[in-house]
Amino acid sequence: MKSVSQLGYARIRLRGKIMSLTEALVQNEIENDEPCNAEIVIDRIVLNKKNPDRERILDSIETAFKLGKGVAVVIRDNETEKMYNRDFVCKKCFFEVADITPKHFSFNSPEGACQHCSGLGVIKEIDEDLLIPNKNLTLAEGAILSWNKSGGRSSVLSSGNNILKMLGDKYGFSIDIPVKKISREHLNIVLYGSNDPNIIFEGVIPTMKKKYEELNSNYLRSEIEKYMIEKVCPLCLGKRLKGEYLSVLVAGKSIDQVVDLSLVEFSRFLGELEKANLSSAKKSIILPLIKEMKARSAALQNVGLGYLSLSRSANSISGGEGQRIRLATQIGSELSGITYVLDEPSIGLHNRDTEKLIATMEELCEAGNSLITVEHDEQIIRRADWIIDMGPGAGEEGGEVIFSGDLQKLLKSKTVTAQYLNGKRHVGDRKKARKGLGKFIKIQGATEHNLKNINVNLPLGKFISLTGVSGSGKSTLVTDILSKGLAKYFFNTKEAPGKHKKITGMENIDKVISINQAPIGRTPRSNAATYTGVFSLIRELFADTEEAHTRGYDASRFSFNMKGGRCEDCQGEGKKKIEMHLLPDVYVPCETCSGAKYNQRTLEIEYRGVNIAAVLDMSVSYALVFFKNSKLVTEKLATLEKVGLGYLKLGQSAVDLSGGEAQRIKLATELSRRATGKTLYILDEPTIGLHFEDIRKLLGVLDALVDKGNTVLVVEHNVDVIRNSDWVIDLGPEGGSGGGEIVFEGSPAELKKCKGSWTGKYL
Amino acid sequence: MLKNNPKDRSKIIVRGARVNNLKNVNVEVPRDKLVVITGLSGSGKSSLAFDAIYAEGNRRYLEGMSSYATQFLDVSAKPDVDKIENLTPTISIDQKSIARSPRSTVGTLTEIYDYLRVLYAKVGVPHCPHCKTPLEKITNSEVLDDMLDSPDKTNIAILAKLNGKDQSLK
């Protein structure tokens, strides 16, 4: 109160009475009371309505707010009292929100992010079921897996058991009965600790959590992560922001509701907001914002992404989607005179959406830009102004421009591409649909994402295509429900499949192999030979030579990734990076091994007159002939050749591989595993990056698998593949919430007649 | 004299490209047009589009910056091409160039979310998260207007609450 006088104010209101400050000090001393309800009198005026001293009053109000931390009181005639609040305050429960700025709506800034999950929406938590997977074990037998698996040291388990025994004695449970018989209450004490302050034991889960936060070692953290499961944050329910900002509404909708809308619905929301009844001041604020958002949203819809929602996380969008997002944002930049270079923007697009994409690309051209796109899609080739055909073969046999000109000229030329375009060649012609095995895998009541409680039957022993426009729920059905459900059944994985009632018929197959779009290793130390495992076999062949035996070299000597056989100067990379500081880095071949990757001693070992470095330089087709005596090696190499990778050098590093090549290496690896005749193969758009000719080869491989009794399920947009399958399932009819239903199930010939199907239209 | 012989700028001309497996490729690409490069996989499509044309366009553009600035940029080495004429700055839109962090969403990538944040901050109506009633706040001039509503010659006192909120004032 003394400092109030130091601030220069003379009067104060204490317990409802205005008095001078000295008076107040005296009174306060008598009553020796905390000045709990004191207010400083900032200003007293007599209102002159005609000519009010606006500036003085405003000034006083400002000061009052400042001193009162946002709360000011105005008293009229010493009677009526009114409180004003500069912050947002709830009249009922006095909940306060200090300030609302754009950063409070950002889940990447500490001001706005949910404090529990720091804005991620999900949180890693230790899962009881993973911690105690077998509830039939007793605690003494090591039911708690993390204690059981401590590197074979029994001390942790026994000391843990001592703790548990003491707990059991205190609370009256036995550690020698199966966990499922221990009461929930007692189990909670073991897992989460008890409330008793005399017990030091914190509980298994809090101890692990603490360890997880404190540990620096990635290995130990990943050990604990095995018991963790990603859960939706319980505080923000996956909405990523603090509660107070989630309850800020525009046109009755909170920001999390708006970002969950699909872009089509989002544009509609903006349209309604534009027309909404608002004060003109507010309108002038929001109109430019709405205009900008509408333009961007429309651009995204024009590249066929109308089904995406703004809240969709970047790590769950596919490469093709990501590329189209960038394309759409480029249009907004309104640059001209730029050369855009695109890599297959049509990947993962249904034919219907491809047309929208072409329109977008043409728009960019009209704005005065050049567009160069690498593409195989027939629709885009037909609409291009200029076509360059490369070939004639692949790898060493390619690298030449075999045609350059417009479509009319191309159709008259004799290149492979032209032959497919003018119908002289076909990707494949199916004579007869297979009968199949008469058995089914049935998915019942699938409701994840936009799926509308559908039942899907997959006939086994057939080539099945799953199609539908982008966002119709294909990936949800196949990846989230089928793949995860089967993986859980066959491999006991911990990821929970998407919502569905049940999957039946799993006993009719004995294995599932799914090949998705993720790239293989992006390290220069991985290559086609190491990935397929053929290199280990070749290394063994080298280790088996007489000279290697005499010198005592084993297979690891022939690895360029391990110490021993590799050239230590470049550590097996074959080249060295020279930093030029101001100029770009330059790679030069290692002087010691001249790019061979191995040291001289290793290179002296020869297998049939060829050393290990020379093997890495062989193409797959050449190696196939060279290693014809080793059945295991040729088997693996043959699958690589079958998927159209015969030109690939064995030592070509993974970083230099194109996307399509990487995916086919994965495919070849899976194919080289022995087919049981009862396997289900799930492929996510295997034709990505493939030319017509390559697709023909690929179909041959897949057909051979089905002929052996296996089942192949492909998620595909490619018309030729659909035409060649035995059974087609078409989802739709539209993307997003307008999809998720089965439009058609049956043979491709019948699909053509189906009127409601977009796919049928393009067949 | 130069005007008599205006240079034809309607084509990007690539001469002697030998990147990866390209065999001394000469090709002309019309500008301001939609151009498709097709062919078998591994036939060198990407090498021509990305490793030759894009890399050179990007390099030339970035080299125009000061050498101080270029050390922070990833300027690629000169591709193995004899010459490329009439090239404009290039932008590559490939499948990898998107930020794949759990902190990015479609909203942040397209920057729509940034606009949306401003929209909510400016015209959003805050509600109490517990009882769902709208929250209110007031500006200085609104307080003044409210005051002026009372009859003439009213005695008015403006007070600041101490309320134990600010300990330094005690």
Side-chain angles (χ1 to χ4, degrees):
Chain A
M1 206 175 278
K2 269 179 192 147
S3 50
V4 173
S5 66
Q6 275 164 13
L7 281 169
Y9 295 101
R11 285 168 200 281
I12 198 161
R13 193 172 78 141
L14 203 60
R15 280 177 284 280
K17 265 181 80 184
I18 293 178
M19 55 187 83
S20 77
L21 201 61
T22 33
E23 234 177 295
L25 277 172
V26 173
Q27 192 170 357
N28 212 32
E29 228 156 83
I30 299 167
E31 292 178 17
N32 200 15
D33 210 5
E34 280 290 301
C36 52
N37 220 348
E39 284 127 17
I40 309 170
V41 179
I42 306 287
D43 204 356
R44 293 205 293 181
I45 29 172
V46 178
L47 200 66
N48 177 357
K49 266 200 115 168
K50 293 259 165 55
N51 189 18
D53 192 351
R54 294 187 81 99
E55 242 157 68
R56 174 176 159 185
I57 301 176
L58 279 178
D59 218 37
S60 302
I61 295 169
E62 176 66 33
T63 319
F65 275 140
K66 215 186 232 165
L67 278 177
K69 297 264 154 181
V71 188
V73 182
V74 171
I75 303 171
R76 293 185 176 110
D77 286 340
N78 279 330
E79 285 161 9
T80 48
E81 183 180 330
K82 199 165 174 187
M83 213 154 79
Y84 295 94
N85 207 309
R86 195 153 62 163
D87 294 338
F88 289 111
V89 146
C90 172
K91 279 180 197 153
K92 283 190 194 150
C93 44
F94 298 103
F95 180 84
E96 273 181 64
V97 182
D99 203 5
I100 293 181
T101 66
K103 71 179 171 199
H104 289 111
F105 293 101
S106 165
F107 45 81
N108 292 334
S109 103
E111 280 92 346
C114 164
Q115 280 166 318
H116 193 57
C117 58
S118 54
L120 285 173
V122 287
I123 197 151
K124 276 192 171 156
E125 267 185 6
I126 293 165
D127 186 61
E128 277 177 34
D129 290 337
L130 291 172
L131 197 61
I132 311 178
N134 186 352
K135 296 218 158 60
N136 293 321
L137 285 179
T138 68
L139 286 175
E141 282 166 355
I144 298 173
L145 198 63
S146 64
W147 283 8
N148 197 4
K149 281 208 311 193
S150 36
R153 281 174 306 155
S154 58
S155 61
V156 179
L157 184 59
S158 61
S159 71
N161 277 349
N162 282 340
I163 296 172
L164 291 176
K165 198 164 180 342
M166 278 157 71
L167 275 176
D169 289 346
K170 186 164 164 63
Y171 289 98
F173 61 88
S174 163
I175 62 166
D176 293 317
I177 57 168
V179 171
K180 63 178 176 190
K181 285 189 182 154
I182 296 179
S183 74
R184 187 70 240 175
E185 205 179 308
H186 289 148
L187 201 59
N188 277 349
I189 292 173
V190 174
L191 293 176
Y192 298 101
S194 72
N195 298 325
D196 192 338
N198 295 326
I199 293 174
I200 310 162
F201 180 66
E202 288 178 304
V204 180
I205 290 179
T207 317
M208 277 172 84
K209 257 192 184 162
K210 213 161 128 192
K211 233 178 174 179
Y212 181 74
E213 277 152 22
E214 286 168 359
L215 280 174
N216 286 323
S217 144
N218 274 337
Y219 170 73
L220 289 173
R221 282 173 72 105
S222 71
E223 276 296 301
I224 295 180
E225 264 172 28
K226 281 183 193 160
Y227 307 105
M228 291 178 139
I229 193 165
E230 253 187 16
K231 279 188 180 156
V232 173
C233 169
L235 197 66
C236 64
L237 304 172
K239 294 171 182 172
R240 297 175 152 214
L241 295 174
K242 284 182 190 158
E244 51 261 48
Y245 305 111
L246 285 173
S247 46
V248 176
L249 306 183
V250 168
K253 279 198 163 74
S254 64
I255 195 161
D256 64 291
Q257 287 168 333
V258 171
V259 295
D260 274 342
L261 298 175
S262 76
L263 284 167
V264 179
E265 293 162 328
F266 178 65
S267 287
R268 209 175 296 144
F269 167 77
L270 291 178
E272 279 161 22
L273 193 59
E274 219 172 6
K275 288 182 213 121
N277 221 351
L278 285 167
S279 69
S280 62
K282 279 189 173 172
K283 234 174 182 164
S284 62
I285 295 173
I286 62 168
L287 282 182
L289 292 170
I290 290 180
K291 191 178 153 239
E292 191 63 38
M293 285 192 277
K294 263 190 145 175
R296 280 169 199 248
S297 171
L300 285 165
Q301 287 170 44
N302 282 339
V303 291
L305 294 173
Y307 59 90
L308 285 181
S309 68
L310 293 176
S311 60
R312 180 77 173 271
S313 155
N315 48 17
S316 76
I317 54 181
S318 74
E321 282 170 341
Q323 192 179 15
R324 291 193 288 278
I325 288 176
R326 280 205 57 200
L327 192 64
T329 46
Q330 280 302 328
I331 292 181
S333 74
E334 292 180 350
L335 280 167
S336 113
I338 298 287
T339 302
Y340 289 102
V341 186
L342 285 84
D343 189 7
E344 292 193 66
S346 72
I347 280 181
L349 267 191
H350 190 267
N351 299 37
R352 188 193 65 163
D353 301 314
T354 307
E355 274 176 20
K356 289 187 191 165
L357 176 72
I358 296 174
T360 300
M361 296 203 289
E362 282 172 347
E363 206 175 301
L364 269 178
C365 284
E366 271 162 32
N369 298 298
S370 313
L371 237 75
I372 301 177
T373 167
V374 173
E375 189 57 76
H376 301 291
D377 188 272
E378 191 176 330
Q379 266 177 296
I380 297 184
I381 294 177
R382 285 188 184 277
R383 290 279 286 278
D385 300 313
W386 193 263
I387 299 149
I388 296 170
D389 199 359
M390 306 280 297
E396 284 306 305
E397 295 144 35
E400 284 171 61
V401 172
I402 51 174
F403 173 80
S404 174
D406 61 11
L407 182 71
Q408 293 313 315
K409 255 172 83 191
L410 177 71
L411 289 178
K412 284 182 207 122
S413 77
K414 287 205 174 80
T415 69
V416 183
T417 313
Q419 288 178 12
Y420 280 104
L421 283 178
N422 60 25
K424 282 199 184 124
R425 276 208 209 189
H426 298 281
V427 166
D429 21 26
R430 167 62 44 72
K431 298 109 217 164
K432 223 160 128 195
R434 294 179 190 85
K435 284 202 190 85
L437 302 175
K439 288 177 189 155
F440 293 91
I441 285 188
K442 294 182 180 175
I443 305 168
Q444 291 177 353
T447 50
E448 180 77 11
H449 290 313
N450 62 347
L451 295 182
K452 305 227 165 69
N453 196 11
I454 54 172
N455 302 318
V456 183
N457 295 341
L458 304 173
L460 295 177
K462 285 193 178 182
F463 191 127
I464 311 166
S465 296
L466 180 65
T467 65
V469 293
S470 310
S472 59
K474 301 182 300 296
S475 303
T476 310
L477 184 66
V478 169
T479 317
D480 294 352
I481 297 179
L482 187 65
S483 285
K484 283 185 185 165
L486 292 177
K488 201 170 174 148
Y489 177 80
F490 285 109
F491 311 118
N492 225 350
T493 51
K494 62 182 187 183
E495 260 181 303
K499 272 178 247 151
H500 66 281
K501 283 207 192 85
K502 60 177 174 180
I503 301 178
T504 55
M506 288 192 273
E507 64 282 353
N508 295 326
I509 53 170
D510 59 4
K511 193 161 73 163
V512 57
I513 290 172
S514 42
I515 300 162
N516 57 18
Q517 297 170 357
I520 67 168
R522 286 259 166 234
T523 142
R525 297 204 169 268
S526 166
N527 61 35
T530 57
Y531 190 84
T532 52
V534 73
F535 197 52
S536 335
L537 298 171
I538 294 174
R539 290 199 333 238
E540 266 158 36
L541 287 180
F542 272 87
D544 226 24
T545 55
E546 215 168 291
E547 184 64 22
H549 274 302
T550 341
R551 295 200 195 172
Y553 291 173
D554 59 3
S556 72
R557 173 93 197 184
F558 298 96
S559 161
F560 56 86
N561 287 335
M562 271 189 273
K563 273 187 188 168
R566 70 176 182 193
C567 165
E568 273 313 309
D569 219 30
C570 58
Q571 306 204 312
E573 281 189 45
K575 55 191 176 189
K576 273 173 151 177
K577 182 167 140 182
I578 295 177
E579 285 184 24
M580 306 281 280
H581 299 290
L582 292 181
L583 291 169
D585 292 343
V586 172
Y587 287 92
V588 294
C590 168
E591 300 118 37
T592 322
C593 62
S594 29
K597 299 183 175 191
Y598 293 92
N599 59 29
Q600 200 47 48
R601 302 282 291 164
T602 317
L603 290 176
E604 279 163 21
I605 310 291
E606 288 184 347
Y607 172 79
R608 295 181 52 216
V610 168
N611 67 26
I612 188 86
V615 169
L616 284 177
D617 208 32
M618 287 178 187
S619 72
V620 170
S621 312
Y622 184 82
L624 199 55
V625 182
F626 184 81
F627 288 104
K628 62 177 184 291
N629 291 338
S630 165
K631 199 164 164 278
L632 284 172
V633 175
T634 48
E635 256 177 30
K636 296 212 166 187
L637 290 175
T639 52
L640 277 175
E641 182 160 57
K642 260 195 241 162
V643 294
L645 291 173
Y647 62 90
L648 203 70
K649 289 223 169 92
L650 286 183
Q652 183 155 11
S653 80
V655 279
D656 296 337
L657 294 173
S658 77
E661 284 170 339
Q663 203 185 13
R664 273 173 294 151
I665 289 184
K666 270 210 259 188
L667 184 62
T669 315
E670 294 298 347
L671 293 182
S672 67
R673 304 217 167 115
R674 212 163 292 269
T676 52
K678 282 173 89 179
T679 309
L680 172 65
Y681 292 88
I682 301 174
L683 291 95
D684 199 355
E685 299 192 57
T687 61
I688 281 179
L690 290 192
H691 187 258
F692 305 105
E693 183 68 16
D694 298 315
I695 296 176
R696 193 176 59 84
K697 283 186 195 163
L698 180 74
L699 277 178
V701 176
L702 296 178
D703 271 335
L705 280 175
V706 183
D707 286 336
K708 281 186 204 154
N710 300 297
T711 311
V712 172
L713 171 64
V714 291
V715 177
E716 193 53 83
H717 297 292
N718 186 296
V719 183
D720 294 312
V721 176
I722 298 169
R723 207 173 280 145
N724 276 286
S725 49
D726 305 312
W727 191 259
V728 185
I729 299 165
D730 193 28
L731 290 182
E734 297 292 329
S737 52
E741 287 172 57
I742 296 180
V743 179
F744 175 80
E745 267 183 299
S747 75
E750 288 163 46
L751 177 61
K752 274 181 220 169
K753 292 173 207 145
C754 177
K755 286 212 178 82
S757 160
W758 283 101
T759 316
K761 213 172 142 189
Y762 285 96
L763 274 178
Chain B
M1 210 177 121
L2 277 170
K3 289 224 167 135
N4 295 338
N5 187 14
K7 215 175 152 198
D8 181 16
R9 296 206 175 275
S10 67
K11 280 175 183 149
I12 299 169
I13 302 166
V14 182
R15 292 272 173 262
R18 288 173 300 275
V19 186
N20 294 349
N21 64 347
L22 295 185
K23 295 197 181 105
N24 212 4
V25 164
N26 300 316
V27 70
E28 291 179 358
V29 184
R31 263 172 60 171
D32 303 345
K33 289 275 180 334
L34 176 58
V35 180
V36 167
I37 303 181
T38 184
L40 295 173
S41 61
S43 61
K45 303 180 300 294
S46 302
S47 299
L48 179 63
F50 284 92
D51 302 337
I53 298 175
Y54 164 68
E56 180 66 7
N58 192 42
R59 189 188 65 87
R60 284 190 199 170
Y61 178 63
L62 293 181
E63 273 196 349
M65 311 218 172
S66 71
S67 57
Y68 177 75
T70 46
Q71 66 177 317
F72 301 110
L73 300 165
D74 192 17
V75 185
S76 50
K78 189 173 160 38
D80 191 2
V81 178
D82 288 344
K83 67 173 179 187
I84 302 183
E85 283 175 24
N86 300 337
L87 192 56
T88 64
T90 51
I91 292 179
S92 112
I93 305 181
D94 61 11
Q95 321 242 329
K96 290 172 268 176
S97 55
I98 201 159
R100 296 213 172 271
S101 108
R103 294 216 166 263
S104 321
T105 63
V106 173
T108 59
L109 287 174
T110 56
E111 289 163 23
I112 292 181
Y113 195 68
D114 299 337
Y115 291 98
L116 205 57
R117 275 163 43 202
V118 178
L119 179 79
Y120 266 82
K122 295 289 177 202
V123 298
V125 183
H127 286 65
C128 174
H130 310 296
C131 57
K132 307 291 169 213
T133 43
L135 307 183
E136 279 168 9
K137 80 177 207 179
I138 204 154
T139 61
N140 296 358
S141 47
E142 278 168 327
V143 179
L144 174 69
D145 292 342
D146 200 35
M147 259 184 232
L148 293 175
D149 275 349
S150 34
D152 212 12
K153 308 271 184 250
T154 315
N155 275 315
I156 285 186
I158 301 167
L159 309 165
K161 261 217 179 291
L162 272 176
N163 211 11
K165 255 187 168 182
D166 194 345
Q167 298 294 326
S168 70
L169 278 175
K170 277 179 204 169

